[in-house]
Amino acid sequence: MRNVIIIGSGCAGNTAAVYAARANLKPLVVGGHEPGGQLSITSLVENFPGFPEGIQGPELVENIRRQAEHFGAEFTHGSVIEADLRTRPFRLNIDGEWQPARTVIIATGASARWLNLPNEQKLIGHGVSSCATCDGFFYRGKKVMVIGGGDTAMEEANFLTRFASEVAVVHRRDDFRASKIMLDRARANSKIKFLTNTVVDDVHDINHGAVTAVTLRNVKTGETWQRDVDGFFVAIGHIPNTKPFAGQVELDDEGYIVDHGNATTNIPGVFHAGDVQDRLYRQAITAAGMGCMAAIAAERFLETEGH
Ligand SMILES: Cc1cc2nc3c(=O)[nH]c(=O)nc-3n(C[C@H](O)[C@H](O)[C@H](O)COP(=O)(O)OP(=O)(O)OC[C@H]3O[C@@H](n4cnc5c(N)ncnc54)[C@H](O)[C@@H]3O)c2cc1C
C-alpha cells in the first residue's frame, strides 16, 4: 500500500515527489506518456527562478526528478489508464496493474493543441511555441505569427507586440471566437496584422533547425504563398489530461479539475497540482509551487488519519 501515488512526472509531479519523499512518504511517481512533462520538449527556460543564465527544460525537470529520488521517491514508467477513487484505499490501474494508495496527487498537465503540420513537432523549442509568456522574450525585433481566433490568441498577440516588430494573427475564418474587448484591443494595436480565411500548411525550415517561414493557404481562393517569420505561436487551446478521472473527480466544462481549495479536489485524499487544474498561469514555477502544496496537503491528510 502506497501512502501517495503521484500521477505525472512534469514540474508539478516531480516537485510533489520531492516534498512527499522528504516527508518520508516514499511516493510512487507514474511518469506517463511524456516523462518530464512539457518541459522535456522545450529548449531554454529563462524564467524559472534560480538560474540566471537560464536552463534547458529537460535538464531542469530531470534535476527535480533526481532530487526526489535522492530522498526516496520511486519512479515508474507507464500511464494510469483507469482510476477507482470511489472507495478507499484508492486504486489506480497502471498499464493493466492495479495499485492501491492512501492518497493520490493528480499532476497530469494539459497538453497544448497543435496543428499537426508535417514539421511542427520538429521545430518545437526552435521557433515553434505554445506559450508567449515563456518564449516571447526571444523575439525582440523579430517577426512572429500567432495561430488562433480566440481570447488566448488575442492575448498572446498583444503580449508579443512588446518584443516583436510585427505580429501576424492567422485565423481560418473571418469571424472570431475572441471576446469583443480582446479583439478590439488587438485590432487597435498597429503591430498586429490579421490574415483571415487563412490556414498554415507547414512551417519551415527543419534543415536550419529554426523557424524561418511558413506556407499559408487562403481557404476561399486556394491560393498558397510563403511568409517569412522567426517565431510561430500556436494558440488554439489545451486539452487537460483528465480522462481516467472523469465521472469521479469534479471537472469543469473543458475538463480541468475543479479546485476545492488548497490543492484539494471534491474527493478527500485526492489532490491536484499544476496545469491539470490551472488554465490561467501555465508556468513551470506555478506548477512546481502547486506540486509543493499538494504534497503538503497529502501529508497533513495522512497525519489526520494516523499514518
Ligand atoms: C514548448 C513549451 C515551452 C514552454 N516553456 C516554458 C518556459 O520557458 N517557462 C515556463 O515556466 N513554462 C514553460 N512552458 C509551460 C510549462 O512547461 C508547463 O506549465 C509545465 O510543464 C506544467 O507542468 P505540469 O507538471 O503541470 O504538467 P506537464 O509538464 O504537462 O506534465 C504532465 C505529466 O503528466 C503525465 N501524464 C499525463 N497523463 C497521464 C496518465 N494518464 N498517467 C500517468 N501520467 C500522465 C505526462 O506524461 C507528464 O509527465 C512551456 C510549455 C511548452 C509546451
Side-chain angles (χ1 to χ4, degrees):
M1 167 76 72
R2 295 280 175 173
N3 282 314
V4 52
I5 296 184
I6 298 165
I7 313 172
S9 59
C11 276
N14 285 5
T15 305
V18 171
Y19 276 78
R22 282 198 84 235
N24 220 11
L25 296 176
K26 300 187 171 50
L28 175 70
V29 183
V30 188
H33 62 282
E34 192 176 56
Q38 292 174 64
L39 282 190
S40 68
I41 58 162
T42 190
S43 48
L44 191 64
V45 175
E46 291 195 320
N47 54 9
F48 199 93
F51 301 95
E53 315 300 333
I55 181 168
Q56 293 295 317
E59 188 186 350
L60 171 58
V61 77
E62 173 63 18
N63 281 350
I64 311 176
R65 174 190 166 131
R66 284 180 26 225
Q67 197 174 347
E69 282 176 331
H70 176 71
F71 295 113
E74 207 182 303
F75 284 72
T76 184
H77 294 295
S79 292
V80 169
I81 52 174
E82 205 181 342
D84 179 4
L85 307 173
R86 291 186 181 89
T87 52
R88 298 197 25 215
F90 303 124
R91 291 185 325 129
L92 299 173
N93 182 342
I94 304 166
D95 284 348
E97 210 169 290
W98 286 95
Q99 276 272 356
R102 293 191 175 99
T103 64
V104 168
I105 296 175
I106 303 173
T108 47
S111 308
R113 281 181 206 274
W114 298 104
L115 296 165
N116 297 321
L117 307 172
N119 291 328
E120 188 183 40
Q121 296 293 306
K122 295 171 197 139
L123 290 170
I124 290 176
H126 302 279
V128 171
S129 175
S130 61
C131 174
T133 308
C134 310
D135 296 331
F137 194 81
F138 298 125
Y139 296 95
R140 197 170 284 278
K142 300 200 167 162
K143 290 181 188 165
V144 303
M145 184 168 276
V146 174
I147 317 303
D151 275 352
T152 307
M154 298 311 127
E155 202 172 295
E156 303 266 276
N158 270 312
F159 179 78
L160 286 165
T161 59
R162 294 182 192 198
F163 314 99
S165 58
E166 178 193 293
V167 179
V169 173
V170 172
H171 183 43
R172 63 192 158 159
R173 291 191 295 270
D174 55 8
D175 59 327
F176 288 83
R177 243 183 324 109
S179 58
K180 187 175 177 315
I181 184 165
M182 294 298 294
L183 191 57
D184 287 350
R185 199 176 296 160
R187 283 193 167 130
N189 191 322
S190 60
K191 279 193 181 178
I192 299 179
K193 308 274 177 273
F194 285 90
L195 297 168
T196 53
N197 295 317
T198 301
V199 293
V200 185
D201 278 348
D202 207 359
V203 55
H204 316 285
D205 181 354
I206 51 167
N207 294 328
H208 282 89
V211 169
T212 56
V214 293
T215 304
L216 298 169
R217 177 165 45 89
N218 184 304
V219 290
K220 292 211 158 152
T221 63
E223 179 202 358
T224 63
W225 72 101
Q226 287 227 346
R227 187 177 173 114
D228 291 348
V229 288
D230 306 294
F232 184 78
F233 289 81
V234 181
I236 55 171
H238 286 76
I239 309 164
N241 300 314
T242 48
K243 214 166 157 195
F245 320 109
Q248 300 178 68
V249 174
E250 188 186 351
L251 307 176
D252 68 15
D253 51 6
E254 285 184 47
Y256 286 89
I257 292 179
V258 174
D259 177 42
H260 281 244
N262 302 325
T264 61
T265 67
N266 59 312
I267 303 173
V270 177
F271 304 90
H272 64 77
D275 287 13
V276 72
Q277 178 272 326
D278 167 32
R279 58 167 70 220
L280 192 59
Y281 300 108
R282 291 195 187 111
Q283 294 297 292
I285 186 65
T286 46
M290 287 189 271
C292 154
M293 287 166 63
I296 292 177
E299 178 203 335
R300 291 183 181 160
F301 177 87
L302 287 164
E303 210 167 84
T304 58
E305 300 231 317
H307 297 297

